[in-house]
């Protein structure tokens, strides 16, 4: 019998790639998503990639009764991967209550229902945003959590605390918190990828939209930071590598191999790349010239952050393997596919 995993936000960007990897590893997947930031046809695309159609429930995690019904409809769920959340940093500053409600209440509902239905394992999507600007680089999991820069970042910090307090309370729940760095790229099939709504806020979708002519110019936000070329540094991780980290984490938690009931892992490459380095890597990987200009710093940006992934490498036995060139080619192929499909 295949083990059942509930994936909230499973038609979203990281969720869809993770569903593919879970199915490829022999898990049975039930997706719960309210399609607030994804499309229903992602389910068809996952089925096209893996040959297996995941179960799909159009349910809002804020709706306790509907979510309860999902747990009842699919008995024997072994674990939950909780991706469902609102994630736009800028929007969270404009609409803090929407972010606090969606990101906190969804998690509370999930945790309550896990207890009610005896589901013992949760993997949670956290973020390197919890570190703010770290004092030491590369950043390890034991670095202090800095005051959040945005309501979105704050929800991730509070989410982590809610999970820790719940586990501490003695209920039979174990957790792995994965702190993602900057996920980019798309599945090699170009059937699933990131679908930014409106003007992209993140670097890589803005870059590929500029390269294809949807946007005129990419602005590089600042070249006067204390970094070798003056632009900000991040740890860009291929979304398929990130997806695989969830499978390894789920195996670990279900096989009872955890050292603590709550474990935290940095999921990054360990390689810091500047904005300008990333642009040049894109041009080299795709042969496409990019129109860009240096502009003002963006308010709230961290100067530089990249992961020390040693703990994940050693304990999880997981490592980001894909080169930045292959990753950026996958992002470009996805952008080309979107044009072909007339989506963007
Ligand atoms: P995404 O928006 O593509 O996916 C989130 C999915 O959750 C969407 O399909 C959306 O429709 C769904 N959703 C949102 N609220 C819901 C609700 N109340 N009920 C049911 N479904 C709901 O985002 P993503 O980039 O795939 O991010 C997944 C998770 O990873 C999020 O928790 C995000 O905060 C976290 N994360 C993302 C990044 C990043 O840069 N993409 C970095 C660190 C952490
Ligand atoms: C990357 C770099 C920009 C756009 C955000 C969230 C974080 C996490 C990941 C979820 C920065 C620069 C960007 C552009 C640019 N999400 N840039 N021109 O800010 O590292 O992280 O997404 O948890 O919480 O804050 O990602 O892709 O927006 O920016 O120069 O048009 O690219 O200044 O240095 P960021 P990003």
């Amino acid at each position: 019998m295949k083990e059942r995993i509930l994936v909230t936000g499973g038609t979203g960007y990281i969720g869809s790639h993770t569903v593919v990897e879970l199915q490829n590893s022999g898990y049975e997947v039930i997706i719960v998503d309210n399609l607030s930031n994804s499309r229903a046809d992602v389910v068809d695309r996952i089925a096209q990639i893996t040959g297996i159609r995941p179960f799909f429930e159009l349910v809002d995690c804020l709706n306790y009764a509907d979510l309860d019904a999902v747990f009842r409809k699919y008995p024997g769920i072994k674990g939950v991967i909780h991706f469902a959340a609102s994630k736009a940093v800028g929007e969270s500053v404009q609409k803090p209550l929407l972010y606090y409600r969606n990101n906190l209440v969804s998690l509370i509902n999930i945790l309550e229902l896990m207890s009610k239905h005896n589901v013992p394992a949760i993997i949670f999507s956290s973020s390197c945003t919890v570190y703010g600007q770290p004092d030491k680089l590369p950043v390890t999991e034991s670095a202090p959590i800095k005051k959040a820069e945005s309501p979105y970042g704050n929800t991730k910090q509070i989410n982590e605390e809610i999970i820790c307090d719940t586990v501490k309370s003695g209920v039979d729940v174990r957790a792995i918190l994965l702190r993602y760095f900057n996920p980019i790229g798309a599945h090699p099939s170009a059937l699933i990828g990131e679908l930014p709504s409106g003007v992209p806020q993140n670097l890589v979708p803005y870059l590929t939209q500029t390269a294809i002519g949807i946007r005129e110019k990419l602005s590089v936000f600042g070249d006067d930071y204390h970094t070798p070329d003056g632009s900000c540094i991040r740890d860009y991780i291929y979304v398929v590598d990130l997806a695989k980290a969830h499978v390894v984490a789920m195996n670990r938690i279900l096989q009872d191999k955890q050292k603590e009931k709550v474990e935290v892992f940095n999921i990054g490459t360990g390689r810091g790349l500047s904005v300008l380095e990333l642009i040049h890597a894109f041009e080299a990987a795709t042969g496409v010239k990019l129109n860009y200009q240096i502009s003002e710093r963006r308010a709230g940006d961290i100067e530089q952050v990249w992961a020390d992934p040693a703990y994940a490498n050693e304990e999880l036995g997981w490592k980001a393997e894909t080169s930045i060139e292959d990753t950026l080619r996958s992002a470009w192929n996805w952008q080309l596919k979107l044009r072909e499909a007339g989506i963007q």
Side-chain angles (χ1 to χ4, degrees), residues 42-252:
V42 169
V43 179
D44 306 326
R45 289 154 178 270
I46 292 170
Q48 233 177 306
I49 295 170
T50 63
I52 305 163
R53 197 173 179 80
F55 295 106
F56 175 71
E57 297 293 333
L58 179 56
V59 162
D60 194 319
C61 293
L62 293 176
N63 188 322
Y64 183 91
D66 286 358
L67 205 50
D68 192 15
V70 173
F71 280 88
R72 276 189 272 116
K73 182 171 172 186
Y74 301 94
I77 291 169
K78 290 282 188 288
V80 174
I81 307 185
H82 184 50
F83 291 105
S86 305
K87 65 159 181 177
V89 175
E91 186 187 44
S92 80
V93 177
Q94 306 302 319
K95 301 177 185 166
L97 298 182
L98 186 151
Y99 273 68
Y100 284 114
R101 183 190 299 278
N102 199 28
N103 295 4
L104 303 188
V105 177
S106 292
L107 175 68
I108 292 167
N109 284 343
I110 285 287
L111 289 169
E112 285 185 345
L113 287 165
M114 285 174 61
S115 280
K116 180 173 175 192
H117 294 276
N118 300 313
V119 179
I122 181 165
I123 294 175
F124 176 71
S125 301
S126 192
S127 167
C128 68
T129 192
V130 301
Y131 298 122
Q133 176 61 64
D135 302 323
K136 280 195 220 130
L137 287 167
V139 65
T140 66
E141 290 83 353
S142 57
I145 302 297
K146 297 273 177 71
K147 184 170 165 36
E149 294 274 344
S150 67
Y152 166 75
N154 205 20
T155 67
K156 290 293 166 190
Q157 296 189 2
I158 299 170
N159 281 150
E160 288 199 0
E161 288 174 359
I162 290 173
I163 292 173
C164 289
D165 288 344
T166 304
V167 171
K168 241 189 268 165
S169 75
V171 296
D172 183 21
V173 171
R174 303 182 299 276
I176 292 184
L177 316 181
L178 299 181
R179 292 182 181 153
Y180 314 156
F181 283 66
N182 288 54
I184 60 167
H187 194 265
S189 64
L191 284 166
I192 53 173
E194 192 170 9
L195 266 182
S197 50
V199 181
Q201 304 301 307
N202 294 113
L203 177 61
V204 169
Y206 203 104
L207 184 158
T208 55
Q209 288 196 5
T210 307
I212 211 161
I214 298 173
R215 315 267 157 221
E216 194 201 336
K217 216 179 255 180
L218 172 75
S219 294
V220 175
F221 296 143
D223 70 344
D224 55 354
Y225 285 100
H226 295 108
T227 60
D229 65 22
S231 62
C232 291
I233 294 178
R234 297 287 184 274
D235 186 333
Y236 296 95
I237 174 168
Y238 183 39
V239 67
V240 175
D241 286 338
L242 171 60
K244 288 178 179 167
H246 294 79
V247 177
V248 176
M250 188 53 83
N251 295 341
R252 177 181 179 88

